[in-house]
Amino acid sequence: TNLIVPVALSTSHAAYTSVRVEPTYMVLGQAAGAAAALASNGDTGSVDIAKLKKTLAEAGQIMQ
């Protein structure tokens, strides 16, 4: 519980090699940090996904 691991992805070996580039790790880290900050402000430790998306969009992260 209460653990965020942004780089332990559930992907095939082929997809993982494309994800393993540094900019992708930085984006994953940014998202994990924002999620951790939102979780620490809540009562249950859960993250409101809509609020997380809004936070990331305001920070300039591109999401698809």
Side-chain angles (χ1 to χ4, degrees), residues 7-53:
V7 294
L9 305 173
S10 177
T11 64
S12 68
H13 69 285
Y16 187 73
T17 53
S18 65
V19 170
R20 223 181 57 197
V21 293
E22 193 168 332
T24 304
Y25 272 178
M26 291 187 293
V27 169
L28 290 170
Q30 180 185 13
L38 290 173
S40 69
N41 292 332
D43 294 331
T44 62
S46 63
V47 177
D48 180 356
I49 300 301
K51 195 170 187 179
L52 175 60
K53 285 183 178 181

